[in-house]
Amino acid sequence: RGGGPGDLGVRREGGLAAAAGDAIRVELWGAGGRALGVQRLAIKARITNDDFRTPRVTMLVGASPIVEHVDNGVVYTYDVTRCMFSAGNIREKLRVSRFNCAGETI
């Protein structure tokens, strides 16, 4: 799989595609996405060293960066170019999962 949530494959920056020109890079990553069986593909760089720890993710194939991830019965919907999912801190996730947040964006 592509290392990302749902139909989005997320690969680390670097390697052969990083050395190629933009047009070739998109073609290489597109072929990689098809081989992984994903509809969308993004490349991630190191996290920005700021107070928010901003992710640096660029969509290469597909337009929408919005993903849905289910963890312990909680459905997380987020923009991979603006935030990250952490698999840790299960107690906090279970606590938040009991909130009535129907129709809200948290």
Side-chain angles (χ1 to χ4, degrees), residues 51-70:
D51 290 337
F52 187 65
R53 293 184 40 86
T54 306
R56 291 179 29 216
V57 176
T58 303
M59 295 297 296
L60 296 174
V61 177
S64 176
I66 305 299
V67 297
E68 189 172 275
H69 178 79
V70 180

Side-chain angles (χ1 to χ4, degrees), residues 6-90:
D7 70 339
L8 174 66
V10 180
R11 307 303 294 168
R12 292 194 189 279
E13 183 178 58
L16 175 63
D22 287 341
I24 295 170
R25 182 180 8 256
V26 170
E27 189 61 35
L28 285 171
W29 283 111
R34 289 186 295 278
L36 292 169
V38 295
Q39 301 297 313
R40 300 176 295 157
L41 193 62
I43 189 167
K44 67 180 177 179
R46 287 190 177 269
I47 298 168
T48 304
N49 188 17
D50 58 11
D51 290 337
F52 187 65
R53 293 184 40 86
T54 306
R56 291 179 29 216
V57 176
T58 303
M59 295 297 296
L60 296 174
V61 177
S64 176
I66 305 299
V67 297
E68 189 172 275
H69 178 79
V70 180
D71 187 58
N72 292 304
V74 178
V75 179
Y76 298 89
T77 303
Y78 60 99
D79 180 337
V80 296
T81 64
R82 299 183 63 204
C83 59
M84 298 175 289
F85 177 81
S86 173
N89 203 359
I90 187 63

